[in-house]
Each structure stands twice: as structure tokens, then as C-alpha cells.
Amino acid sequence: MFNGFNDDDPFGTNFFGGFRHNLGGFVNPNRGFSENYRCFPIAMMQNGNERENVNYGGKIILPQSALEKLSQLNISYPMLFRLINGAENKHTHTGVLEFIAEEGRVYLPQWMMETLGTEPGSIIEVKNVTLPLGSFVKIQPQSTDFLDISDHRAVLEKALRNFSTLTMGDIIQINYNDKIYEIKVLEVKPHYEEHLGISIVETDLEVDFAPPVGYVDPAEQKAKPTSHMVIDLPKPVKKSEFAVFGGGGQSLRGKTKSSAVAANQDDNRQTEGDDDGPFELPFGQLYFGFPVVPPPSSTDNATSTTSTTTAFKGAGQTLRSKKK
């Protein structure tokens, strides 16, 4: 408070000589404020590089003439504006910090210049607007470096003190420990299609974080990817492909002998047909071998031979005739 001037309320009753609510003939019934200015980044103003809170905030610097026009209008406070780049059909919202810019100029943070797609010296429209008080905002850091901040909520809360508005789709910038972090506004509530912005001045704002761009869930990172490489296994070599002395032959009687390869193939087929495969037993059962059948003894063979065959069974003939 100095000489009746209140820093917290620069447009109080003392500023207008006690006629804030009823300015008589000084009140302009036209509530709109719309002016065209050439925009420049904060870094191009005098001592602009030293004012990081302005360059990494959400407020602009207007000329003194803008304050004179705004003081004659019955506008709502805090002063909020819509910045429009008609050439690119882009817009955003902002608050005002000071009225010290040169006439015909407006100074913007660098991220706001990029959002509007403007170059230094381009003409934009500055128009006053009334935005609803925000209750919810969802943001997304544009780099995983944001996760290195130990208390990111406290850092974000401090950084948003330099902002008056948030607009869906904007990518704002904050500075922490001499490092720049970009944050995209994904969603705001209440949501209105006509402006897509909210006011965050003196409001209880709920903030939700989306996973940063490029973030990978640790659970998915631990899962090993399956290999899709096709490995050609060696083909089994058939036994029939190689045989010793595989050629054919001729006998003295003129008969043709079959080749040994065919004979080997037949032997292999018979062998494969006789193979019963692996011997499988049910669970809990043991195998001690097949029952032993002793081979027949020599006595058994002689007995069976004499009983079934008789030597010299046939009849004979003599040269001498039998005597009568």
C-alpha cells in the first residue's frame, strides 16, 4: 500500500477515484477489447533473458496504451486474453503481467510463440475473454526426464503460479534446476468447444499425470520378446541312401540279380516295421524284463526227431530174382 495504491488490487476504488462500481460517463458499454500487435519473444525485450519467470510462464507484456483502453471497459478480473494467429488458424489463452512494452508490440513466452506458429514481428490479435475456473487438468510430460524429479507435483505447483490459464493442446515449458521440461495439456474441465481453456487463478485444481512420451512399463520391459527366427534343422540321413556294393549282377544261367540297394531298403522297412518304439509304462509300475523261456535241450531235440521221423523208410529193388 503506497499513497492509497494497493498492490494486490491495482484497479481498486482508489485507482479510479472511488468510482470503480459506478464510473458514470467514463464507462464504455462495449465490453470487448481487441487489438492487433506485433509479437516478439520475451528474450528480445530489455533484460528479457534475466526474467525466467516470464519466459517460462503463461503471461504476456502489453503496452501502456492497452491499460488505458482496458481501464475504460467494464471487463471482468483477472484480465484474460485470447491470442489469435489468423494466418495459421491457431489460438491460445493467457494473462497479462505488465504494461511496459513498446507501443504496437506484445511480448510472449517462447513456448507461446511456438504454439501460435508465429515468427518475431508477426501480427496477432489480442482479445479479452472470460474463462471458467478450472477444476481438473490432465497433463503429459514430453520426456521421461521428468521422472527424475523427486517431487514433481511440488515443482509443477510452483511453476503453475506463473500461469493464469491453461488451454487444451498447448505444450507449455517450465524451468527446474536449469533444465527445460515440456508438458502437454491433454484435457481440461470444464470443457467448452468454443475456447478449450480454463482459468487457474485462485481455484482448487486437480492434476492428473499421463505417462511421459517414450515411457515403458517395467513389467513389459522385463518380458523377453519371443524369437521368430526360423532355424533349419538338419535332415535325418536315411540308411537306405548308402549301401556297400550296390550294383546289380548276372549269373551263369542268365538270371538277373536284384540290386543290393533294393534289398537293403526291404530289410530297413522290415526292421522299421518290427520296431515297437519306446517302451512306456504307467506311473508307479516297474519293469523287470520279459518272462524267461529256456531254449530246448539236446535230449528234447533227439526225442522229437526219433518220434516224428524214420530212417530209410522207402522200399528197395535187387538185381537177382527171388527163388521160388
Side-chain angles (χ1 to χ4, degrees):
M1 178 72 71
F2 176 75
N3 196 18
F5 182 81
N6 189 357
D7 294 333
D8 297 332
D9 189 7
F11 301 103
T13 56
N14 294 331
F15 180 85
F16 293 102
F19 297 99
R20 177 178 179 180
H21 299 284
N22 185 11
L23 298 179
F26 295 98
V27 175
N28 190 336
N30 183 10
R31 294 171 54 90
F33 172 86
S34 178
E35 294 291 336
N36 293 328
Y37 297 101
R38 293 191 179 274
C39 61
F40 295 90
I42 297 293
M44 295 184 65
M45 68 178 297
Q46 187 177 5
N47 299 327
N49 293 328
E50 301 176 0
R51 308 188 63 177
E52 293 184 357
N53 62 324
V54 183
N55 195 29
Y56 301 107
K59 299 178 181 180
I60 62 176
I61 297 179
L62 289 170
Q64 180 68 26
S65 59
L67 175 61
E68 297 175 359
K69 293 179 181 179
L70 289 168
S71 62
Q72 299 176 8
L73 302 176
N74 188 18
I75 63 175
S76 59
Y77 294 88
M79 294 183 183
L80 303 178
F81 301 91
R82 178 182 298 174
L83 307 182
I84 304 171
N85 182 10
E88 299 291 337
N89 195 21
K90 296 180 179 179
H91 77 277
T92 186
H93 299 91
T94 181
V96 59
L97 182 64
E98 297 174 350
F99 295 91
I100 60 173
E102 297 87 344
E103 291 299 326
R105 290 191 175 192
V106 57
Y107 290 98
L108 315 177
Q110 181 62 34
W111 70 264
M112 205 173 290
M113 297 277 294
E114 297 175 359
T115 299
L116 295 175
T118 60
E119 297 292 336
S122 302
I123 297 178
I124 63 172
E125 180 183 359
V126 180
K127 186 177 182 179
N128 76 298
V129 67
T130 301
L131 298 178
L133 290 176
S135 59
F136 172 83
V137 62
K138 185 175 183 179
I139 61 177
Q140 181 187 35
Q142 298 300 291
S143 174
T144 55
D145 295 340
F146 189 78
L147 299 177
D148 298 336
I149 302 176
S150 58
D151 192 355
H152 51 271
R153 289 188 177 272
V155 172
L156 184 64
E157 180 181 355
K158 181 179 179 181
L160 290 181
R161 294 175 184 174
N162 298 322
F163 290 78
S164 298
T165 65
L166 290 176
T167 305
M168 190 172 67
D170 285 0
I171 299 180
I172 64 176
Q173 293 179 350
I174 63 174
N175 184 15
Y176 177 71
N177 285 346
D178 297 330
K179 190 171 183 178
I180 309 304
Y181 299 92
E182 293 185 341
I183 300 175
K184 185 175 183 179
V185 181
L186 298 180
E187 183 181 355
V188 295
K189 291 181 181 180
H191 176 79
Y192 296 100
E193 294 292 340
E194 58 184 10
H195 47 69
L196 303 178
I198 57 174
S199 172
I200 60 173
V201 178
E202 297 181 358
T203 181
D204 187 10
L205 187 66
E206 179 184 357
V207 180
D208 185 19
F209 288 85
V213 175
Y215 173 76
V216 179
D217 191 2
E220 297 179 359
Q221 191 174 6
K222 290 181 180 179
K224 296 182 179 179
T226 57
S227 176
H228 299 283
M229 182 182 297
V230 179
I231 302 176
D232 294 333
L233 298 177
K235 297 181 180 180
V237 179
K238 296 182 180 179
K239 296 180 181 179
S240 60
E241 293 181 357
F242 176 77
V244 182
F245 305 109
Q250 295 287 337
S251 66
L252 296 177
R253 297 180 180 180
K255 294 183 179 181
T256 303
K257 297 292 184 180
S258 60
S259 63
V261 176
N264 291 335
Q265 290 180 352
D266 295 338
D267 295 341
N268 292 335
R269 291 173 184 172
Q270 292 178 1
T271 304
E272 293 176 358
D274 297 338
D275 188 8
D276 296 333
F279 190 65
E280 297 181 357
L281 292 175
F283 179 78
Q285 183 176 351
L286 301 178
Y287 174 71
F288 295 97
F290 293 101
V292 178
V293 178
S297 62
S298 60
T299 57
D300 295 338
N301 292 335
T303 305
S304 60
T305 303
T306 55
S307 60
T308 56
T309 61
T310 303
F312 308 106
K313 185 178 181 180
Q317 296 290 334
T318 64
L319 297 176
R320 298 178 182 181
S321 59
K322 294 181 180 182
K323 297 180 178 180
K324 294 181 181 180

